[in-house]
């Protein structure tokens, strides 16, 4: 079993290596390898999951990596309930998206590379999920960030994609710095990177008070970046420049959930901070993100951007859930969201595949052309809106119930967000699938309006198959947390012995009513056209402008960070030119002066000596060369004379 | 008395041809004169009871080396050029120096009081020389054999006509 | 009058002087080699004579003489080979004309 657990991240990694090196020569140009590896990982995950469900002890496997001082740095993996759920989500949703990509990326010149990146991503994400220590977590964390960068910029020929990948990387990096600082603080104070030892230290009160809160907030900084929470959410909408399967896998279902997962994994640290300060911050950041992103989603016309803001909003929801002590609720929503948001993204990808545009205002009436896409997306939308009995209903209801009990103001924030969510998702559905077509069918010579000439068509089986599979989950996965079935999910994934807040029928009814109201308003505006959307938009001034300008976050960063950097670089340039260069030049001048001095010395003293020796040798050689007659008999004569002299010398003495 | 007579005769046999060797304009005659000179030296060795050395002297000097020199004279056409000047311009100086050195040597050798030891050599000194070669002087023996080999190969390589 | 060590030494000195004269005055390389042979013979006479009169028990002089004869053979072989090579290349064996190594 332990070996199985190790194999889960290893398989996709091997697939990555294989595809990188052998790419096109592999079956299906590498796609089959990637899908096979991930499906095998999914099977292993299922085995582990059922083992845990059967009441087995969580798996732990560590190796001593290196010894620092007295304490060995133990690294390893663990599979407990939370990990098992995450493993399933990543492998199952991932497999579906891999399969879908076969159709979506068909004919792309870098097709094998795409699957290589996807496999690397899956491996990193699984490592992140399996980690039982901060180091593996951080390694996985950075690796998924790298894959995100690579995949957002997969079509790097497009300047927008290249810019978006950079933006995503740099923005999340800001959060990662906090995250890393948090990890260092833990290591500095405890000398260990293991979660287990850290939790022991927290429980024994060794780590407590302001320090604990500080660590929690620093770690949460990483989650803000990775999970695109306010104020570091700006990268996620731009990340939609990547291929749609990437958006579905990384920027909806898995990687962005890593922040939420991390908070859940380290929930004890957050939970133990005095007065739940850290959790309150988590909850409020989540609430603000949820609300703000939902309002922005309302005014987006790009189908993928609607989804992107929706993702930010839903991630905020999860944070909110965790922050109001709803550990189970947050993780539950993470899981359901992974399924229905992946479904929605893949559906959107299917639409884009057919229409070659992202603009929902140039769509309309697609329901008849692409029924599979329509029906599956409808299921996804209902799940997102939180309508009974779809998946989103159960998890959202749980979060709201927790909020009602632990933090009433956030309950209202959640409720309003729920309304807006239902509204914008239905708006998108109406614009895309219903109403009159705003595109020109190919057989008409000139389209009416600004419609473009396209041939919309249903996507191939390999794409609709995963859609239906995910739609099934989006519809029914919520029942694993259904109260009337005894909330099996809550019993499986829970924090300590904390009893889940009981199901409250009133809240369920209220939240459903609010969601239905949101859908109704959307229908009134975009289906029945009782009111002109433009008039409504005007009526909500200045809020609608704020939403359109995305609450000025991008402008703010443009003014402060970007301009600040540019300004600072200008200042530094001046500093460089006058101070650094000046200093360097000064040194240069001084040395040039010194060198001149040395030159004189060299010329007249050193060279003079050398030349003197040279001349002396030459003159002496000129004289002595006449001794060398080159005739042996002369030399012999001299030798003989020498011998005579020696003998005479000997005789005289 | 007989010994003295033998010595004087042998000394003359050694020295007179040697004078011819160094003065004759005819190189062939000079080379031929080497042989009686070597034989005279051989006689001196016999007189000194060095029979083995004497034998080797005949074999190598009188036989091999003299013949070799004759061959080379022939090969280099040295025998035909009797009209050519055979002495160089330092003949006078060379003669004076050689004479001076001879006188100096004679003076040195004859004035030195040698620690004479009365005694006779071993009767069978061939066996004794062989034993000495293979015991006390084994290293010199081996090295000289090596030098012989090297010079043999070297002479072949040097004298070989280039292809 | 007994024949003594000095008699032999005198003969060898004279022989040596004759060899040296040959070496110093001859132009022909072969003649020079002949002079060298004479000098080597003089040395041999010395060695054997010293062996006889100064250390009759050891035979070291004989051994030296034999080694010198061996080396003389070597020297003659190599020297004459050199003479041949020089003759082939320079068409002369007169040492006063062989001065290509001169500056």
């Amino acid at each position: 079993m332990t070996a199985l657990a190790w194999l889960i991240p290893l398989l996709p990694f091997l697939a990555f290596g294989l595809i990188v090196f052998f790419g096109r020569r592999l079956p299906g140009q590498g796609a089959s390898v990637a899908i096979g590896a991930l499906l095998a990982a999914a099977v292993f995950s299922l085995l582990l999951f059922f083992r845990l469900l059967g009441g087995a002890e969580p798996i732990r496997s560590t190796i001593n990596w290196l010894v620092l001082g007295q304490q060995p740095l133990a690294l390893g993996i663990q599979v407990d309930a939370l990990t098992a759920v995450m493993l399933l989500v990543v492998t199952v949703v991932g497999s579906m998206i891999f399969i879908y990509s076969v159709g979506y990326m068909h004919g792309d010149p870098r097709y094998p590379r795409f699957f290589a990146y996807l496999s690397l991503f899956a491996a990193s994400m699984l490592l992140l999920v399996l980690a039982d220590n901060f180091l593996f977590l951080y390694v996985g964390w950075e690796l998924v960030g790298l894959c995100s960068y690579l995949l957002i910029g997969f079509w790097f020929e497009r300047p927008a994609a290249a810019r978006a990948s950079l933006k995503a990387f740099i923005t999340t990096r800001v959060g990662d710095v906090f995250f890393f600082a948090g990890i260092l603080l833990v290591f500095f104070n405890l000398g260990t990177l293991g979660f287990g030892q850290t939790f022991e230290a927290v429980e024994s009160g060794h780590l407590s008070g302001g320090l604990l809160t500080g660590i929690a907030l620093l770690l949460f900084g990483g989650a803000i970046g990775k999970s695109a929470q306010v104020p570091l959410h700006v990268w996620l909408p731009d990340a939609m420049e990547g291929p749609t399967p990437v958006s579905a896998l990384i920027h909806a279902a898995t990687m962005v959930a890593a922040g939420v997962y991390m908070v859940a994994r380290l929930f004890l640290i957050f939970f133990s901070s005095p007065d739940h300060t850290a959790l309150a911050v988590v909850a409020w950041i989540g609430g603000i993100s949820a609300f703000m992103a939902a309002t922005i989603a309302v005014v987006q016309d790009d189908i993928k951007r609607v989804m992107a803001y929706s993702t930010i909003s839903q991630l905020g929801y999860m944070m909110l859930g965790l922050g109001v002590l709803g550990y189970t609720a947050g993780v539950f929503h993470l899981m359901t969201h992974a399924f229905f948001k992946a479904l929605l993204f893949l559906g959107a990808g299917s639409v884009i595949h057919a229409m070659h545009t992202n603009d929902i205002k140039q769509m309309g009436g697609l329901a008849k052309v692409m029924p599979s896409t329509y029906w599956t997306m409808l299921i996804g939308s209902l799940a997102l809106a939180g309508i009974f009995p779809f998946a989103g209903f159960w998890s959202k209801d749980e979060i709201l119930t927790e909020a009602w009990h632990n933090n009433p103001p956030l309950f209202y924030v959640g409720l309003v967000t729920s309304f807006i969510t239902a509204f914008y998702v239905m708006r998108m559905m109406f614009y895309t699938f219903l109403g009159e077509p705003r595109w020109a069918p190919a057989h008409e010579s000139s389209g009416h309006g600004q419609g473009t000439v396209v041939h919309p068509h249903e996507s191939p089986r390999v794409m609709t198959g995963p859609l239906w599979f995910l739609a099934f989950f989006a519809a029914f996965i919520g029942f694993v947390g259904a109260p009337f079935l005894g909330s099996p999910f809550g019993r499986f994934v829970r924090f300590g012995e904390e009893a889940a807040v009981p199901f409250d029928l009133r809240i369920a009814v209220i939240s459903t009513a609010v969601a239905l109201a949101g859908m109704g308003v959307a229908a009134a505006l975009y289906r029945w056209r009782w009111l002109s959307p433009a008039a409504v938009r005007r009526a909500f001034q200045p809020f609608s402008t704020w939403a359109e300008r995305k609450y000025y976050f991008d402008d703010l960063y443009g003014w402060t960070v970007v301009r600040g950097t540019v300004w600072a670089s200008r200042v530094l340039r001046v500093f460089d030119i006058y101070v650094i260069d000046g200093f360097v030049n000064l040194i240069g001048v001084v040395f040039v002066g010194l060198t001149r001095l040395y030159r004189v010395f060299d010329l007249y003293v050193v060279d003079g000596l050398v030349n003197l020796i040279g001349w002396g040798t030459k003159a002496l050689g000129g004289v002595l060369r006449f001794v060398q007659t080159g005739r042996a008999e002369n030399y012999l004569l001299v030798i003989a004379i020498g011998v005579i002299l020696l003998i005479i010398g000997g005789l005289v003495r | 008395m007989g010994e003295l007579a033998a010595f004087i005769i042998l000394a003359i046999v050694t020295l007179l041809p040697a004078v011819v060797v160094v003065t004759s304009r005819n190189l062939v005659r000079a080379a031929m004169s080497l042989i009686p000179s070597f034989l005279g030296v051989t006689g001196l060795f016999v007189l000194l009871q060095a029979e083995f050395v004497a034998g080797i002297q005949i074999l190598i000097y009188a036989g091999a080396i003299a013949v070799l020199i004759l061959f080379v004279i022939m090969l280099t056409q040295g025998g035909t050029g009797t009209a050519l000047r055979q002495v160089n311009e330092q003949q006078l100086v060379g003669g004076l120096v050689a004479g001076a050195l001879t006188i100096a040597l004679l003076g040195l050798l004859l004035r030195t009081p040698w620690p004479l030891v009365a005694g006779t050599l071993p009767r069978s000194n061939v066996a004794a020389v062989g034993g000495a070669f293979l015991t006390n002087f084994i290293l010199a023996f081996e090295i000289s054999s090596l030098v012989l080999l090297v010079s043999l190969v070297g002479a072949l390589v040097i004298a070989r006509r280039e292809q | 009058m007994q024949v003594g060590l000095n008699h032999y030494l005198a003969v060898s000195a004279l022989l040596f002087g004759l060899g040296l004269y040959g070496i110093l005055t001859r132009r022909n390389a072969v003649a020079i080699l002949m002079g060298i042979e004479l000098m080597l013979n003089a040395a041999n006479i010395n060695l054997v004579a010293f062996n006889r009169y100064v250390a009759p028990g050891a035979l070291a002089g004989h051994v030296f003489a034999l080694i010198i004869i061996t080396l003389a053979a070597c020297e003659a072989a190599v020297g004459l080979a050199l003479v041949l090579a020089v003759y082939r290349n320079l068409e002369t064996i007169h040492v006063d004309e062989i001065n290509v190594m001169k500056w």
Side-chain angles (χ1 to χ4, degrees):
Chain A
M1 275 300 155
T2 314
L4 273 191
W6 280 103
L7 267 181
I8 289 172
L10 219 53
L11 278 175
F13 190 75
L14 288 178
F16 161 70
L18 270 178
I19 299 169
V20 159
F21 287 113
F22 302 111
R24 291 185 192 282
R25 270 169 282 165
L26 292 174
Q29 293 196 14
S32 308
V33 177
I35 293 168
L38 195 60
L39 279 178
V43 171
F44 295 162
S45 306
L46 259 181
L47 286 174
L48 292 174
F49 178 77
F50 282 116
R51 212 177 111 85
L52 280 172
L53 210 57
E57 280 294 300
I59 290 171
R60 285 180 209 288
S61 164
T62 55
I63 43 173
N64 282 342
W65 183 45
L66 53 83
V67 178
L68 289 176
Q70 301 297 315
Q71 231 166 349
L73 198 55
L75 299 178
I77 57 172
Q78 62 172 8
V79 183
D80 58 5
L82 176 62
T83 301
V85 170
M86 284 300 291
L87 283 180
L88 268 188
V89 169
V90 173
T91 53
V92 172
V93 175
S95 305
M96 286 308 115
I97 292 169
F98 276 29
I99 293 169
Y100 176 92
S101 304
V102 172
Y104 192 84
M105 298 304 287
H106 180 76
D108 192 278
R110 289 189 294 274
Y111 185 84
R113 191 189 295 183
F114 184 75
F115 280 93
Y117 288 166
L118 279 187
S119 291
L120 179 62
F121 170 77
S124 327
M125 188 68 203
L126 291 168
L127 176 72
L128 188 161
V129 168
L130 281 164
D132 84 333
N133 55 76
F134 282 104
L135 187 68
F136 275 9
L137 183 70
Y138 190 71
V139 169
W141 190 269
E142 292 297 346
L143 275 176
V144 292
L146 169 70
C147 295
S148 166
Y149 167 78
L150 290 173
L151 285 165
I152 294 170
F154 187 72
W155 290 319
F156 52 76
E157 305 93 338
R158 303 206 312 228
R163 269 203 305 276
S165 61
L166 260 183
K167 184 172 177 181
F169 200 69
I170 292 169
T171 313
T172 50
R173 172 100 353 229
V174 175
D176 290 352
V177 170
F178 290 110
F179 186 49
F180 191 59
I183 292 175
L184 286 183
L185 259 185
V186 170
F187 187 72
F188 185 68
N189 283 296
L190 301 179
T192 178
L193 286 174
F195 292 158
Q197 292 99 309
T198 310
F199 292 160
E200 277 165 28
V202 171
E203 271 169 352
S204 67
H206 188 67
L207 199 64
S208 61
L211 181 63
L212 188 61
T213 308
I215 288 173
L217 289 180
L218 283 174
L219 293 175
F220 185 57
I224 289 177
K226 201 56 111 189
S227 288
Q229 297 296 290
V230 173
L232 294 181
H233 62 284
V234 289
W235 65 272
L236 188 58
D238 289 14
M240 296 301 127
E241 291 293 340
T244 306
V246 170
S247 308
L249 178 63
I250 300 184
H251 306 117
T254 57
M255 186 190 84
V256 288
V260 179
Y261 167 78
M262 190 266 283
V263 174
R265 167 57 68 208
L266 306 173
F267 198 65
L268 185 71
I269 295 177
F270 289 84
F271 184 77
S272 305
S273 95
D275 303 327
H276 295 329
T277 319
L279 278 183
V281 172
V282 172
W284 276 106
I285 293 277
I288 293 167
S289 300
F291 175 76
M292 209 179 257
T295 52
I296 299 174
V298 171
V299 295
Q300 293 296 319
D301 290 334
D302 181 323
I303 187 167
K304 283 184 74 179
R305 279 175 187 262
V306 174
M307 290 302 159
Y309 282 107
S310 164
T311 302
I312 297 173
S313 171
Q314 295 300 308
L315 291 166
Y317 238 91
M318 296 170 210
M319 291 293 186
L320 195 160
L322 290 171
V324 296
L325 305 181
Y327 177 83
T328 305
V331 177
F332 188 28
H333 195 57
L334 195 174
M335 182 181 81
T336 55
H337 173 259
F339 284 106
F340 65 67
K341 186 52 66 66
L343 166 62
L344 283 171
F345 260 111
L346 294 188
S350 176
V351 171
I352 295 166
H353 197 60
M355 299 294 294
H356 299 294
T357 175
N358 287 6
D359 191 350
I360 52 175
K361 292 201 167 155
Q362 294 179 29
M363 298 179 187
L366 286 177
K368 275 167 272 171
V369 189
M370 333 176 50
S372 279
T373 307
Y374 171 60
W375 284 109
T376 50
M377 271 191 90
L378 187 62
I379 293 171
S381 302
L382 291 175
L384 173 60
I387 306 298
F388 181 85
F390 297 101
F393 167 75
W394 304 101
S395 51
K396 185 175 288 188
D397 184 59
E398 249 185 72
I399 290 175
L400 287 175
T401 311
E402 295 277 3
W404 175 249
H405 281 275
N406 293 319
N407 199 336
L410 279 175
F411 168 75
Y412 294 109
V413 171
L415 206 59
V416 172
T417 306
S418 170
F419 173 82
I420 303 172
T421 305
F423 177 78
Y424 70 68
V425 71
M426 279 304 136
R427 169 180 174 268
M428 179 207 61
M429 289 301 287
F430 287 133
Y431 262 132
T432 310
F433 290 105
L434 301 175
E436 288 300 308
R438 287 176 298 281
W439 40 275
H443 53 81
E444 288 180 19
S445 54
S446 64
H448 46 240
Q450 73 275 43
T452 47
V453 180
V454 283
H455 299 266
H457 53 86
E458 183 59 281
S459 298
R461 235 7 108 62
V462 72
M463 286 165 72
T464 54
L467 285 180
W468 281 109
F469 185 88
L470 288 171
F472 172 81
F473 277 97
F476 300 115
I477 193 80
F479 284 104
V480 303
F484 60 85
L485 294 176
S487 301
F489 188 82
R491 277 184 286 119
F492 185 54
V493 180
R494 61 168 183 244
F495 176 64
E497 296 305 315
E498 172 210 15
V501 175
F503 179 69
D504 191 329
L505 191 62
R506 287 172 305 165
I507 292 171
V509 170
I510 291 171
S511 77
T512 311
V514 164
L516 284 172
M519 291 171 70
V521 172
L525 281 175
Y526 300 106
R527 180 73 183 133
W528 303 314
R529 302 261 167 201
W530 290 349
L531 273 173
S532 146
V536 175
R537 189 172 284 202
R538 244 176 281 123
F540 273 96
Q541 282 296 2
F543 303 108
S544 47
T545 311
W546 289 4
E548 275 166 36
R549 300 302 302 270
K550 304 159 195 167
Y551 292 86
Y552 300 99
F553 267 106
D554 277 326
D555 305 273
L556 178 70
Y557 291 153
W559 275 96
T560 56
V561 179
V562 178
R563 294 222 178 182
T565 310
V566 170
W567 186 80
S569 60
R570 285 213 183 106
V571 170
L572 289 175
R573 176 168 171 274
V574 171
F575 181 79
D576 243 25
I577 287 176
Y578 291 103
V579 181
I580 306 260
D581 283 10
F583 186 65
V584 172
N585 286 341
L586 184 71
I587 291 175
V589 166
V590 167
F591 271 91
V592 167
L594 277 177
T595 331
R596 292 237 164 88
L597 220 66
Y598 280 128
R599 179 166 171 273
V600 171
F601 180 78
D602 248 22
L603 269 182
Y604 294 100
V605 182
V606 178
D607 283 11
L609 269 176
V610 173
N611 286 340
L612 189 70
I613 292 170
W615 287 328
T617 311
K618 200 174 160 189
L620 206 59
V623 173
L624 284 181
R625 70 175 188 175
F626 294 109
V627 175
Q628 298 290 321
T629 57
R631 290 174 55 179
E633 60 267 33
N634 295 153
Y635 303 158
L636 282 170
L637 188 66
V638 175
I639 292 171
I641 292 168
V643 172
I644 293 167
L645 291 178
L646 279 176
I647 291 170
I648 291 170
L651 285 176
V652 168
R653 194 157 47 90
Chain B
M1 202 50 215
E3 192 188 2
L4 182 61
F7 171 77
I8 291 169
I9 292 166
L10 286 171
I12 292 167
V13 169
T14 303
L15 291 176
L16 267 184
V19 173
V20 177
V21 168
V22 296
T23 54
S24 170
R25 293 176 67 88
N26 187 335
L27 274 184
V28 179
R29 180 179 295 155
M32 294 303 285
S33 303
L34 270 178
I35 296 170
S37 181
F38 288 157
L39 289 174
V41 173
T42 308
L44 290 176
F45 287 163
V46 173
L47 214 55
L48 286 165
Q49 299 169 15
E51 293 89 359
F52 184 59
V53 180
I56 298 296
Q57 169 86 4
I58 290 178
L59 278 177
I60 292 181
Y61 268 119
I65 294 179
V67 172
L68 193 62
I69 286 173
L70 272 172
F71 261 117
V72 173
I73 290 169
M74 299 307 172
L75 282 173
T76 58
Q77 298 157 3
T80 60
T82 48
L84 288 174
R85 193 163 55 87
Q86 285 298 329
V87 289
N88 57 23
E89 74 280 353
Q90 63 180 21
Q91 186 184 21
L92 184 63
V93 185
L96 286 176
V97 168
L101 188 62
T102 308
I103 292 163
L105 273 177
L106 280 173
L108 181 66
L109 290 169
L110 300 181
R111 282 178 53 179
T112 309
W114 300 107
L116 295 178
V117 174
T120 50
L121 293 173
R123 271 253 42 90
S124 163
N125 66 43
V126 176
V129 166
F133 260 126
L134 290 178
T135 52
N136 289 343
F137 299 99
I138 180 74
L139 186 65
F141 180 65
E142 292 297 339
I143 289 177
S144 60
S145 68
L146 198 65
V147 171
L148 199 56
L149 176 68
V150 170
S151 62
L152 186 69
V153 176
L156 276 176
V157 170
I158 293 168
R160 196 169 53 109
R161 208 175 280 275
E162 298 289 330
Q163 253 83 30
Chain C
M1 186 178 154
Q2 273 302 105
V3 180
L5 177 60
N6 285 347
H7 296 80
Y8 291 100
L9 294 182
V11 171
S12 94
L14 287 171
L15 194 57
F16 188 85
L18 284 170
L20 182 63
Y21 173 76
I23 290 172
L24 290 179
T25 59
R26 288 292 201 170
R27 291 176 72 213
N28 192 302
V30 180
I32 291 176
L33 278 174
M34 291 192 258
I36 292 173
E37 301 301 342
L38 292 180
M39 289 166 82
L40 286 168
N41 267 290
N44 275 350
I45 292 172
N46 262 9
L47 285 166
V48 175
F50 275 124
N51 194 100
R52 166 76 178 76
Y53 289 105
V54 177
L59 287 181
H62 289 198
V63 171
F64 266 69
L66 287 168
I67 291 177
I68 287 177
I69 292 172
T70 313
L71 291 181
C74 297
E75 169 259 314
V78 177
L80 290 170
L82 281 169
V83 168
L84 273 182
V86 167
Y87 180 72
R88 200 178 298 132
N89 286 316
L90 301 179
E91 306 259 306
T92 180
I93 50 170
H94 289 169
V95 289
D96 51 358
E97 292 165 17
I98 304 166
N99 54 5
V100 289
M101 298 266 282
K102 195 182 166 187
W103 48 267

